[in-house]
Amino acid sequence: MDRSDYYGAASRLTYVAHFFGLTALILILIWLLHYRGGLNYESNNPDLVFNVHPFLMFFSLIFLGGEAMMAYKTVGAAHNVKKTVHMLLHLLAIVLAIVGISAAFKYHDMIYKEDVYSLHSWIGITTICMFCLQWVFGFFTFMFPKASIPTRNKFKPWHLCGGRALLYMAICAALTGLLEKSTFLQLSPHQHESRLLNFTGLAILFFGIFVDLSVALGYYTLYSNY
């Protein structure tokens, strides 16, 4: 396969990634709106406040993060346009993730519950901190004021690998969060809500896999264009 073949394969894989990403988004909304009563950050009901957390954490770090990765590696547009969209989508993801995390802390305060005690929370906090560092590192290295070309060429594989690793860390946080919530709700494995959560987790995982595959293939065609 030459570079154009890799680019075509990467572009086709984005369609599959979008399918799983939108499926996961729809399933999360069905779960929160139909089974959990909705979501409202300003509500006096702590459960509605909490529901903001899973939606925004998936939509920000995973969905928007994945879209930002695919926009840079697989979309046919001017290089500076793709780089700017990549940066702005990740910035929006960080802002929404901060709101999502604050919803979890607000929920714990409302029910007088301890913060950051579970594996899910440890993975999640680590992910958002590293996500922010990755964005700052990328902005000053590749956007403004821009490092020298040799320096950018030296660090771009680390930036790429770091982004892919963070996507899987965010997915790991999401899956452990769904499992933790299912345990707290004491859902039976045969309940419709339990099965919905399982399918949601699978859709999130497959979204990440196909985003990663499309980015890996796209890397072959854009390696020298930073």
Side-chain angles (χ1 to χ4, degrees):
M1 294 178 70
D2 58 26
R3 289 192 172 190
S4 62
D5 292 328
Y6 282 116
Y7 185 82
S11 297
R12 288 189 292 273
L13 285 174
T14 61
Y15 293 112
V16 184
H18 284 126
F19 169 77
F20 283 113
L22 292 173
T23 298
L25 185 62
I26 291 169
L27 291 177
I28 287 176
L29 287 173
I30 291 173
W31 174 48
L32 295 175
L33 297 176
H34 179 70
Y35 288 99
R36 297 289 105 207
L39 54 162
N40 184 353
Y41 188 89
E42 301 297 332
S43 174
N44 293 322
N45 183 338
D47 291 328
L48 298 187
V49 173
F50 173 82
N51 290 345
V52 174
H53 173 72
F55 173 74
L56 283 185
M57 298 314 293
F58 166 74
F59 186 71
S60 60
L61 298 186
I62 299 175
F63 188 78
L64 287 181
E67 291 293 332
M69 293 168 68
M70 291 189 292
Y72 184 75
K73 286 296 180 184
T74 63
V75 174
H79 177 67
N80 286 335
V81 172
K82 291 190 291 186
K83 192 159 64 170
T84 301
V85 171
H86 178 77
M87 182 270 293
L88 290 176
L89 284 177
H90 274 132
L91 179 60
L92 178 59
I94 290 172
V95 173
L96 293 178
I98 291 172
V99 177
I101 287 179
S102 70
F105 282 113
K106 183 177 180 180
Y107 167 74
H108 289 163
D109 289 341
M110 293 174 76
I111 64 172
Y112 305 102
K113 189 175 183 179
E114 182 182 0
D115 292 316
V116 194
Y117 63 91
S118 65
L119 177 62
H120 161 68
S121 60
W122 289 12
I123 296 173
I125 291 294
T126 302
T127 301
I128 184 62
C129 290
M130 294 182 66
F131 200 98
C132 291
L133 289 174
Q134 168 89 341
W135 189 89
V136 172
F137 166 81
F139 182 81
F140 287 106
T141 303
F142 304 113
M143 294 293 295
F144 181 84
K146 263 190 183 181
S148 64
I149 292 177
T151 301
R152 279 181 276 157
N153 287 336
K154 178 181 178 180
F155 283 108
K156 64 186 177 183
W158 292 100
H159 184 70
L160 173 70
C161 292
R164 292 167 69 182
L166 284 171
L167 178 64
Y168 280 112
M169 287 179 66
I171 290 171
C172 186
L175 299 186
T176 54
L178 290 176
L179 180 61
E180 183 178 290
K181 188 63 176 179
S182 178
T183 302
F184 287 160
L185 294 173
Q186 298 182 324
L187 298 178
S188 164
H190 303 293
Q191 286 182 253
H192 292 310
E193 184 176 359
S194 180
R195 289 173 177 167
L196 176 67
L197 290 178
N198 288 344
F199 280 116
T200 302
L202 283 175
I204 291 173
L205 177 60
F206 282 123
F207 173 71
I209 289 173
F210 281 99
V211 167
D212 190 43
L213 288 173
S214 68
V215 168
L217 289 175
Y219 184 67
Y220 285 100
T221 65
L222 298 172
Y223 181 85
S224 61
N225 292 332
Y226 249 78

